Amino acid sequence: MMITAVKSLADRLASSPRRLWAVSFTVFLLLGASWSLTTPTGASPDESAHLIRAAAVARGQVDGREVMVPHVVAGIEGHFAETEVMLPRMYKDLKDVNACYVFQPEVSASCAPKLKDAPGTAPVTTAAGRYHPAYYFAVGWPSLLVGGETALHLMRLVSAAICAALVASAVVSAAEWRRRDFTLLGVITAATPMALFMFGMVNPSGPEIAAGILVWSAGLPALISPDPYLLNRRLARLGIGALVLISIRPLGLIWFSAALFFALLLQRKGALREVLRRKATWLWGLVAAAAAGSAYAWTANHPDNSLINTPSSLTPVVAARSTFDNSLDYIKQMVGYFGWLDAPPPAATLLVWSGVVLALVLFAFCFAKVRDVLAIVGTMAGIIVIPIAAQAMQARSLGMIWQGRYLLPFAVGLPIVCAVICHERLPLGGFTFRRLLVLSSFSLAVVNVAAFVWALRRNAVGTKGPLLISPAHWVPVGGWPLWVAVYAVAALVLGVLVAVSDNRGRSGPDAGGAGGGATVGRGRLAAAHGEA
């Protein structure tokens, strides 16, 4: 009876895009919020710079005086161009709050001083002062309402909500396919523990990754299965994803163009013509173009004037070779390396997550046509080649700074593309495929929770502390058992979404392939047009 009730609930969700979006938003918000409230202040990469930037932008300080600050990054000394702003004194202390434990994984966060409000303001510098202010406008406003660490947590939660909204829209797009178990698994696989970790932090990487998931999830069905009843919705989601992705960093236009290129490569015959006929296409195209123009104008007017003392031996060839040698590390980081890359997940998380992606790739290859193969190989090649090219071009001016999360807005396309190809090419039915999908979804849920617990353990007792986090030296608000339970329930709900997906495919020319249309909301729309 329990299984029947769950399936009935899943059918009700699938029949209503709004219900499904609300549930997905809640689940991803809980996942992101769990990271927000169990990660100590300063225990995520570069967050202090982004928190300072957000608080400054909320106070109208979009620009500031450039200050050269000495730093050592990746073993290379230099003077980095930072932006000076005037903020409450707490933000001055924020920059060094993690000094006692960062890069020391065996040391818990209990040694960090508690941030407190102090009267007056002080000059503070941030390395994020050159970044486009749009994201910081969106997340910085809670710092005007409250002070202390509460303000920092609220800013994190706002960022988590933005990311949850974007990924929830991607889930709705995935559920619109007839065989939605494959496409839902693609989206859930794309939302790696590292992605969820970044969703919960004040860092533009979070919404950048979430927007990447949405762009891939909405762009592919728009051109592979351009259902006339759903096309405008998909174009709107694609436009929103593009707007967020392009507004955050100049690289966003490259990530969006790459997703669009592979969607065009896989398009159904005549689909592009249908898409170009829609007014929504041109409207969102103009919005994306305006966003791109604004982002590039901002970047051009805010150059990086940092002076890095890179050694003469760090040539483009040396940088490219070093980046290639580190490719496996970058792939691991995309799955999950938390904190300041000093909190690795358990080996099971890396193995299972990589295994599910590999399974999707192999299934897609087994049934792929020529264009499908080109899309899979092209995406895989991009995951390796893009970091090499980026480091080779920038190593002399920036040093060797690449991290796996920088590539996630593009790399999330691999499981999503492979899931769509499986949807289009695999024969209908098959208990074995169904069982593998269910096993994959719940395996991801289990190792996702394991990664969360491992990161929590690093902060609570250090990596050499008790496995069961007891006694905890550092305790998050509410206590760690609460957040482990919340995270576990939310992760399992994602597994249930795949497990109880009712595939509505049927035999014949409309099944699976080019005619594989959508199911969410389709019944009522079809009825309105006399089709059901």
Side-chain angles (χ1 to χ4, degrees), residues 478-500:
W480 65 264
L482 168 67
W483 294 110
V484 170
V486 168
Y487 198 88
V489 170
L492 287 172
V493 169
L494 292 181
V496 170
L497 277 179
V498 176
V500 301

Side-chain angles (χ1 to χ4, degrees), residues 309-319 395-396:
N309 301 321
T310 51
S312 58
S313 58
L314 186 58
T315 64
V317 173
V318 170
R396 289 292 300 164

Side-chain angles (χ1 to χ4, degrees), residues 312-326 391-392 395 400:
S312 58
S313 58
L314 186 58
T315 64
V317 173
V318 170
R321 175 61 186 271
S322 177
T323 305
F324 178 77
D325 291 341
N326 291 329
Q391 286 280 70
M400 300 293 291

Side-chain angles (χ1 to χ4, degrees), residues 230-373:
L230 297 170
L231 186 53
N232 281 348
R233 295 184 192 178
R234 289 168 172 170
L235 291 173
R237 293 177 204 136
L238 179 62
I240 292 170
L243 178 63
V244 175
L245 194 59
I246 293 170
S247 296
I248 288 178
R249 305 183 213 257
L251 274 177
L253 184 59
I254 297 175
W255 305 143
F256 173 71
S257 300
L260 193 60
F261 170 80
F262 287 110
L264 289 169
L265 180 63
L266 295 171
Q267 68 170 307
R268 193 182 77 186
K269 185 177 180 181
L272 181 60
R273 190 183 312 115
E274 176 66 23
V275 168
L276 292 177
R277 286 175 179 167
R278 296 294 178 113
K279 292 180 180 179
T281 302
W282 299 101
L283 173 63
W284 285 108
L286 288 173
V287 170
S294 171
Y296 276 86
W298 176 271
T299 302
N301 289 324
H302 296 80
D304 186 356
N305 296 318
S306 300
L307 302 173
I308 313 298
N309 301 321
T310 51
S312 58
S313 58
L314 186 58
T315 64
V317 173
V318 170
R321 175 61 186 271
S322 177
T323 305
F324 178 77
D325 291 341
N326 291 329
S327 294
L328 184 58
D329 289 335
Y330 300 142
I331 291 172
K332 291 178 181 178
Q333 291 170 14
M334 286 191 283
V335 175
Y337 259 66
F338 312 110
W340 288 73
L341 300 182
D342 59 358
T349 301
L350 298 172
L351 290 172
V352 171
W353 219 281
S354 302
V356 172
V357 174
L358 183 60
L360 286 171
V361 170
L362 292 177
F363 276 132
F365 266 132
C366 287
F367 296 91
K369 295 184 177 180
V370 174
R371 287 187 301 167
D372 304 335
V373 171

Side-chain angles (χ1 to χ4, degrees), residues 404-473:
R405 64 185 169 93
Y406 299 158
L407 189 63
L408 267 175
F410 172 81
V412 295
L414 180 60
I416 295 173
V417 164
C418 291
V420 167
I421 291 172
C422 289
H423 168 280
E424 294 290 282
R425 306 303 180 202
L426 263 64
L428 282 174
F431 179 68
T432 301
F433 286 140
R434 181 81 182 134
R435 184 162 54 182
L436 284 172
L437 290 170
V438 173
L439 178 62
S440 296
S441 64
F442 281 107
S443 296
L444 292 179
V446 171
V447 298
N448 192 356
V449 175
F452 179 76
V453 172
W454 242 245
L456 181 56
R457 174 173 170 262
R458 179 263 177 270
N459 293 319
V461 297
T463 54
K464 294 183 179 180
L467 185 62
L468 298 180
I469 322 181
S470 180
H473 303 157

Side-chain angles (χ1 to χ4, degrees), residues 35-36 38-51 94-95 97-98 101-103 156 194 197-203 337-343 403 405 458-459:
W35 285 107
S36 298
T38 61
T39 302
T41 303
S44 66
D46 306 320
E47 190 181 27
S48 61
H50 298 297
L51 286 166
L94 175 62
K95 299 189 73 171
V97 72
N98 61 0
Y101 68 88
V102 70
F103 302 127
R156 282 182 173 181
M194 188 65 189
F197 171 64
M198 297 312 302
F199 291 174
M201 301 300 114
V202 176
N203 192 309
Y337 259 66
F338 312 110
W340 288 73
L341 300 182
D342 59 358
Q403 296 179 31
R405 64 185 169 93
R458 179 263 177 270
N459 293 319

